Each structure stands twice: as C-alpha cells, then as structure tokens.
Amino acid sequence: MRWKLLGANRFSSFFISDPNFKEPIANVTAPVGREAILSCVVQDLAGYKVAWLRVDTQTILTIANHVITKNHRIAVSHSDHRTWFLHIREVRESDRGWYMCQINTDPMKSQIGYLQVVVPPDILDNETSTDMVIREGSDVTLRCSATGSPVPNIIWRREDGQQILLGNGEKVTNVEGPHFNITKVNRLHMGSYLCIASNGVPPSVSKRIMLIVHFPPMIWVPNQLVGVQEGQLMTLECLSEAYPKSINYWTRDNDKIVPQGGKYEPVLLDNAYKVHMKLTIHSVSASDYGSYKCVSRNSLGDTDGSISVYAIPSGSGSNSNTGNDTKYKGKLRQNSGNNILEGNQDMLKERDLKLRSRKEKGDDADDYEDSSSTRNNSSVLLLSVIVTLTLCLNHRLLFRTLHPA
C-alpha cells in the first residue's frame, strides 16, 4: 500500500493512506423524462476532491459540490463525503452513455458507469397504414412502424378479440412483425385491427386500423316454398350479405315492390355486412299467393332470391264425397194406384234423356254410375209391370169363364 506524507510543512509528521473507490459504479437505466442518479463511493478521501465527467465528450460536469457545466439539468450531492451522487433530471436520449467519477490524486484515479436511457414505444403515423378499403379476393399488406429503446416488438390483433384467419386457413390469436400480409382477402377479414408496439418500457402503445372489404350482394333463402292457409299469418325470410351496405326490399309478381304498412310488415335486422330480411303478411288472402322476391343491391351489383307461396286447403271445408254422403241425380216423382206403370214409364223416359245428355257431354264416370242405377231401377219396374199384366190377364180369363158369351 502506498502512503503519502501530507503537507510540506515541518509541523506535521504523520502518514495517511491514499483515497480509493470502495465499489464500482452501478450501471443505471432510466426512462426518458425521469431522473437518473449515478453514485460513486469513495473511502479515505481526506482533502482530495471528486469530479464527474461525461466520457464521450470529455466534459467536466461537477467538481466537489460545484456544478461546472451550464446544463441546468445536472446536479451533485454527497453523503458525508463518502458517496457522491450525479443527478440528471428530465433524462433525454442524448444523455445515454458513459460517465466517469474521478479523484484528483497523482496520478488521477477514476472509474466509469453507464447510463442507459430507455424510451417507451411510439408509433410513427406517417409510416403506418391508415384505414384501408379493399375488394374481396385481392391481397393486402398492413404496415406498422414504431420507435423506442429498446426496439419495440410489434404484434397484430383483432379489436373484437376474434381469431385472425390466415391465407392457409389457419386461425391465430395474433400475428407478429411490422408487416401483416393477407392473401385473397374475404369478408371474414373485415374489421378493426390493432397494431401494438411494446418494448418492456411502459406504456405500450397501439393504433387502430380498419380493414373494409367490398363485395357485391349475396342472398340465401332458407325456405323457397312456403304453404299457408287463408286467414293465417305468414313470414318470409332471406339472408343477405353485402358491403357497401345494400338496399333491401321485397317484390311481388312482375317485380312490383311490396308496400309497407297495412297487412304487410317488412323488417330488416342489420349486423355489420349481414342483413336478415323478413316479410310478415297478416291474415293471408287468396291474392297473396304467388311468387315473392327478396332483392339486395349496392354499388357493386344486385341479386335476388325467390320464394313461392302456395295455398294449403282447409280440412273443414272439404266437399269430397265420402261415406254415406251420396248424391242422387234425376227427378223423383210420387205415383199410386193404377198409375204405377205410367209413372214408372215417365221416370224411365226422364232418366233415359238425362243419360243421353251426359253421354253427349262425355261424362263417362257419371254414365257408369247412372246406367248402373237405371238398370237396377228398370229391372224392378219391369218386374212390377209383368206382375200387373199377369194379374190383369188372369182376371180377364176368370171373368170370361164365369160369364161366357
């Protein structure tokens, strides 16, 4: 150990040790705008002085308790002349670098420490994408540029929290990197994306970029054939997708627009680029049957979907012949006494005329029914005539036997 005799006068004759650094200067990391403090611990300083210097510029900042530099952000303090502090207020990026703590011994003693200035990320608007409009099926690249120290990492996420659809069909939560490429954009890519820059220095920053996908209208019809009874309520439905937002309406036969109000109640349920079209018809009447179209159009095109509405017959209103409900054809007349033959002959003539009339009209089914019925009735009548004639002949024979001429 070196020892040095202090003073050149003859009144002091004792010895002391040279000053030394007790520990190295700790490197310091400070965010921009905050205060950075570097410390230098010295032992046995005695009458020597401590100075702080900027290494890269060889600028003397402080000597002992005095600030030498004209930089108003620099200050110095100490603790019992053992620990000397260099204060740098409102730290700037330009303050980053090496700083020296020096003791004015001969030769001079010094040690250095590093000030790391960190900067929270900041997104550069002029180098970052703004809201974009793209046609479906095209390729698009979203860009995001940020500064900061350390260099920020950039990730992309959907603002709505949904997964991102990649070109290979894979779905991911986020995409890393300053460039986000989407191949063959479709409507599922539409939405707001967040470019998030972070480097471990709070706060992280983000920018919102809206991706708008344009495509012509498309329509899906859940039920193309709808049956309903008269008097009932009926609802027709169509699903439409389009962007820019489409104009949606209903038409009837000959492309006449279905009026709103009265018995017709059109409703549109809008959700982003999707539209649920409904047409409710109250108390359906015969004039409501036929073809309907749901039409969707925007600046890129138009399309429509067709729905046919048919009548369902009511079960209670059926007029079909079933069971014992039989129809009789022809005119029935009442006869009695000796007019039986005459009355039956008139009936036969009337039936015969009706049958001839039906045959001329070509009603074969009724001819078969009527002819069968007529044959049965004719047989009964003929039998009655034969019985009557037989009785009359027998009566005449008996009369002739009793009263000979």
Side-chain angles (χ1 to χ4, degrees), residues 86-371:
L86 176 65
H87 300 262
I88 306 175
R89 296 186 294 267
E90 300 175 8
V91 169
R92 301 172 183 174
E93 283 192 79
S94 59
D95 296 327
R96 185 186 296 113
W98 293 97
Y99 290 81
M100 177 184 290
C101 175
Q102 185 182 93
I103 305 174
N104 64 336
T105 56
D106 186 18
M108 176 267 295
K109 294 181 179 180
S110 66
Q111 63 177 359
I112 59 176
Y114 190 81
L115 172 61
Q116 174 63 272
V117 179
V118 294
V119 182
D122 183 33
I123 293 177
L124 301 176
D125 290 334
N126 60 337
E127 298 180 16
T128 299
S129 299
T130 57
D131 292 349
M132 302 185 69
V133 178
I134 194 75
R135 185 71 181 263
E136 191 171 45
S138 303
D139 298 338
V140 66
T141 298
L142 303 181
R143 295 179 174 83
C144 184
S145 180
T147 61
S149 182
V151 176
N153 295 319
I154 294 176
I155 62 171
W156 298 86
R157 290 179 182 168
R158 286 188 64 111
E159 188 179 41
D160 56 12
Q162 295 183 10
Q163 291 186 312
I164 298 173
L165 179 64
L166 302 181
N168 58 4
E170 182 185 359
K171 291 184 177 181
V172 296
T173 303
N174 55 66
V175 175
E176 296 185 1
H179 295 163
F180 176 25
N181 300 314
I182 306 177
T183 304
K184 294 183 179 179
V185 171
N186 63 53
R187 66 201 65 183
L188 298 179
H189 290 113
M190 182 153 40
S192 297
Y193 291 83
L194 296 177
C195 155
I196 304 172
S198 59
N199 63 353
V201 183
S204 297
V205 292
S206 65
K207 182 176 180 179
R208 179 178 181 267
I209 301 171
M210 181 69 181
L211 178 62
I212 301 171
V213 181
H214 280 188
F215 57 94
M218 297 181 68
I219 281 183
W220 291 264
V221 181
N223 296 308
Q224 293 182 319
L225 193 61
V226 178
V228 64
Q229 294 182 0
E230 286 192 35
Q232 291 185 336
L233 179 142
M234 172 183 66
T235 298
L236 308 180
E237 296 184 74
C238 287
L239 303 175
S240 171
E241 293 185 3
Y243 207 90
K245 290 186 176 182
S246 56
I247 299 173
N248 302 276
Y249 57 91
W250 293 87
T251 65
R252 282 290 314 266
D253 305 307
N254 301 322
D255 294 330
K256 293 181 180 179
I257 297 178
V258 176
Q260 183 173 359
K263 67 188 301 183
Y264 300 104
E265 183 183 348
V267 175
L268 296 179
L269 303 177
D270 194 346
N271 180 16
Y273 58 86
K274 298 181 179 181
V275 176
H276 189 176
M277 301 175 62
K278 291 184 177 182
L279 176 62
T280 299
I281 304 176
H282 299 272
S283 186
V284 172
S285 61
S287 62
D288 295 320
Y289 297 119
S291 177
Y292 290 79
K293 285 184 180 179
C294 47
V295 182
S296 179
R297 73 173 68 232
N298 68 4
S299 58
L300 301 179
D302 59 82
T303 188
D304 59 64
S306 297
I307 302 176
S308 294
V309 178
Y310 66 93
I312 297 178
S314 175
S316 61
S318 176
N319 293 323
S320 59
N321 298 328
T322 57
N324 296 323
D325 185 14
T326 304
K327 292 184 179 179
Y328 291 91
K329 298 182 181 180
K331 182 179 179 181
L332 296 179
R333 298 178 63 179
Q334 298 294 330
N335 298 287
S336 59
N338 294 329
N339 294 327
I340 291 177
L341 182 59
E342 181 183 357
N344 288 332
Q345 288 175 345
D346 292 339
M347 185 182 294
L348 288 174
K349 290 179 181 179
E350 185 176 351
R351 286 181 175 272
D352 187 58
L353 291 173
K354 289 183 177 290
L355 286 173
R356 289 181 183 179
S357 174
R358 287 191 170 276
K359 286 182 179 181
E360 290 175 358
K361 293 180 180 179
D363 192 353
D364 295 337
D366 288 342
D367 284 348
Y368 179 82
E369 180 183 351
D370 289 342
S371 60

